[in-house]
């Protein structure tokens, strides 16, 4: 029964120890912090910063000022996002093909999924190689670029003929 009263008091904002002298959150009797935030059930409003859309008064917090509050994503993150978009489009094509052809599959097209990751990795490594920021140096960068080119060509060579055969071209 005592637990039920505690929860009822928390909902209404009443506490047993209401000896708070100011809004600092420190109780008069023991020095322990007391609950000073209200739940908002009685019409009080707490500004959490998440409830209002970006307006003119808050433009510096939302990144609209173009100043120090906005940090653009790195090149690697943007490249990974584009790679993700390509994978989603590939999956949508395969699923829609299966649905609209009465369950017909696209056999042998799995190697095509190697191409986006190889192209993205080659772009990122090429940019790092150009800027001199590659950890392994130029030799490692060229080896990774060669591996990416081989992977992309292998994926295309093994995936395109079955795709064309399945599409009837």
């Amino acid at each position: 029964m005592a637990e039920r009263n505690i929860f009822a008091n928390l909902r209404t904002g009443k506490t047993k120890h209401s000896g708070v002298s100011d809004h600092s959150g420190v109780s008069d009797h023991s020095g322990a912090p007391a609950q000073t935030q209200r739940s908002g059930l009685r019409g009080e409003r707490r500004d959490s910063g998440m409830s209002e859309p970006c307006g003119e008064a808050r433009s510096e917090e939302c990144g609209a000022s173009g100043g120090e509050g906005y940090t653009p994503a790195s090149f690697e993150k943007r490249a990974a996002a584009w790679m993700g978009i390509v994978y989603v489009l590939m999956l949508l094509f395969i699923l829609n093909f299966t649905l609209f052809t009465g369950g017909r599959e696209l056999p042998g097209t799995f190697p095509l999924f190697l191409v986006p990751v190889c192209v993205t990795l080659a772009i990122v490594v090429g940019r790092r190689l150009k800027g001199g920021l590659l950890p392994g140096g130029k030799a490692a960068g060229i080896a990774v670029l060669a591996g990416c080119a081989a992977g992309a060509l292998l994926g295309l060579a093994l995936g395109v003929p079955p795709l064309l055969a399945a599409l009837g071209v």
Side-chain angles (χ1 to χ4, degrees):
M1 188 69 179
E3 292 172 322
R4 180 178 249 172
N5 288 337
I6 290 171
F7 291 122
N9 289 341
L10 286 176
R11 263 188 266 125
T12 60
K14 297 178 185 178
T15 59
K16 217 178 226 185
H17 306 289
S18 60
V20 177
S21 61
D22 59 353
H23 293 291
S24 66
V26 178
S27 176
D28 286 35
H29 59 84
S30 68
Q35 182 180 359
T36 59
Q37 293 181 347
R38 308 246 182 216
S39 65
L41 295 175
R42 287 181 270 146
E44 292 102 8
R45 183 168 178 225
R46 288 176 32 194
D47 185 23
S48 66
M50 297 298 285
S51 61
E52 296 179 9
C54 292
E56 292 176 17
R58 300 185 56 146
S59 65
E60 66 276 352
E61 293 177 17
C62 297
S65 65
E68 65 259 4
Y70 174 71
T71 304
S74 67
F75 180 77
E76 288 84 2
K77 289 180 183 176
R78 290 191 306 251
W82 281 107
M83 180 182 67
I85 290 171
V86 170
Y87 275 124
V88 166
L89 291 175
M90 290 172 74
L91 287 172
L92 283 174
F93 173 75
I94 289 174
L95 291 173
N96 283 330
F97 180 83
T98 304
L99 287 173
F100 291 120
T101 58
R104 210 170 108 208
E105 296 179 6
L106 290 172
T109 57
F110 182 73
L112 289 175
F113 283 95
L114 185 62
V115 175
V117 72
C118 288
V119 170
T120 303
L121 183 61
I123 290 171
V124 170
V125 168
R127 180 153 190 247
R128 284 189 172 193
L129 192 62
K130 181 180 173 185
L133 301 172
L134 202 60
K138 286 190 176 187
I142 292 171
V144 169
L145 286 176
C148 288
L153 290 175
L154 184 68
L156 288 173
L158 294 177
V160 171
L163 177 66
L164 293 177
L167 293 176
V169 177

